Amino acid sequence: MNYIKPQEVLNQMIQAGAVKASLSVKDLLIRGFLAGAILSFATTLAFTATIQTGLGLVGALVFPVGFVMIILLGLELVTGTFALAPIAVMARRATLGGMFENFFWVILGHILGSIFYAGLYYVAVTNFGHIHDQPVIKYIMKLAETKTNGYSALGSDGMVTVFVKAVLCNWMVTLGAVMAMTSSSTTGKILAMWLPILTFFAQGFEHAVVNMFVIPAGIMYGAKVSLGDWWLWNQIPVLLGNLAGGVLFTGIMLYITHRSKGTSEGKPTTKAA
């Protein structure tokens, strides 16, 4: 009885995209900041679980807790919006300007929230720098170098690889956002969204918001990565890949196959004050 059919899910997707494209800058920054910090919490939890058990799959099993909190609290995760806002524009429920404004301010909020948590996390797990062999700190440093220098060493092949990993990642992440709409119960939403998030994380694909924590944190902790390497060899291609994966394989494809005369269409939503 709690199951919501795909046609109605599509209407929810369009409505959600329209609302997101109409939020004020204040709300976008606050919700983006909180989502960035919460996803960073989940990332260090996953790394801790992986290190303690020696099994990456265990880390992937616990990582979705952050995504669940973000969705249930109605916060802004730009990777999910990559699938929702574009189809709201296609349905004439949002404007391109509102969509891109959402992307910009939410990404800025993510970066601020992620770096803020990175600083607090370092203080907490190293006793303000007095513990020098903290395993999660070392893990983050190594991963930051792998996510940048590892691709740059491959040249153009590395750029293609990081882009494809980002496409595959957000194909799953956006499905997580959509799957949460397939149930009207909280338990159903949690179980539905858990599946695709676990799928992407367990396979080491590239998520832009996770990387907004991992790479700056790695730089802060001492990884041999420059700011230029971060953006050129990871953040920019990952954002573009996440956008492509979300809008093409989740947003547009579901819009095309489930669209009907009952699909919500109308004038673009006026931007909120």
Side-chain angles (χ1 to χ4, degrees), residues 10-262:
L10 179 60
N11 286 331
Q12 288 191 40
M13 291 170 65
I14 293 170
Q15 177 61 23
V19 170
K20 289 175 180 295
S22 68
L23 290 172
S24 67
V25 172
K26 176 197 70 176
D27 288 334
L28 294 173
L29 280 172
I30 292 173
R31 297 180 192 189
F33 177 94
L34 291 173
I38 289 170
L39 206 65
S40 300
F41 268 100
T43 301
T44 54
L45 171 66
F47 292 166
T48 300
T50 298
I51 292 169
Q52 289 177 347
T53 64
L55 298 172
L57 184 58
V58 176
L61 283 169
V62 300
F63 173 76
V65 298
F67 189 82
V68 167
M69 287 187 275
I70 290 168
I71 295 296
L72 293 183
L73 289 172
L75 303 178
E76 286 295 310
L77 189 65
V78 74
T79 46
T81 306
F82 282 163
L84 305 177
I87 64 169
V89 172
M90 292 173 63
R92 296 178 293 174
R93 293 293 309 282
T95 65
L96 277 173
M99 179 182 75
F100 285 117
E101 188 167 348
N102 176 288
F103 294 169
F104 176 81
W105 291 111
V106 171
I107 287 171
L108 178 59
H110 288 337
I111 294 172
L112 294 175
S114 299
I115 293 176
F116 181 74
Y117 174 77
L120 296 182
Y121 182 78
Y122 181 82
V123 171
V125 301
T126 67
N127 288 348
F128 217 154
H130 291 281
I131 299 175
H132 301 290
D133 59 348
Q134 216 287 332
V136 178
I137 296 295
K138 291 183 177 180
Y139 188 90
I140 291 172
M141 291 170 59
K142 181 179 179 181
L143 191 58
E145 293 174 353
T146 300
K147 285 177 171 289
T148 52
N149 302 336
Y151 294 126
S152 67
L154 299 175
S156 59
D157 289 345
M159 189 64 73
V160 172
T161 300
V162 69
F163 179 82
V164 170
K165 285 184 176 182
V167 170
L168 294 174
C169 166
N170 217 37
W171 191 345
M172 289 294 102
V173 172
T174 49
L175 280 182
V178 172
M179 291 286 284
M181 300 177 184
T182 63
S183 174
S184 60
S185 74
T186 301
T187 301
K189 288 178 179 292
I190 292 172
L191 291 175
M193 72 177 88
W194 204 282
L195 304 176
I197 305 305
L198 184 161
T199 300
F200 105 76
F201 198 87
Q203 298 182 80
F205 296 147
E206 296 285 346
H207 189 271
V209 185
V210 170
N211 293 346
M212 289 174 192
F213 164 72
V214 171
I215 300 175
I219 294 172
M220 290 170 62
Y221 303 160
K224 296 179 180 179
V225 178
S226 69
L227 293 176
D229 290 334
W230 166 27
W231 283 94
L232 177 61
W233 289 102
N234 189 284
Q235 204 64 69
I236 291 176
V238 170
L239 279 167
L240 293 175
N242 284 172
L243 176 61
V247 68
L248 292 175
F249 297 117
T250 297
I252 290 179
M253 286 194 174
L254 290 180
Y255 181 81
I256 291 172
T257 192
H258 290 305
R259 183 187 180 195
S260 71
K261 293 181 179 179

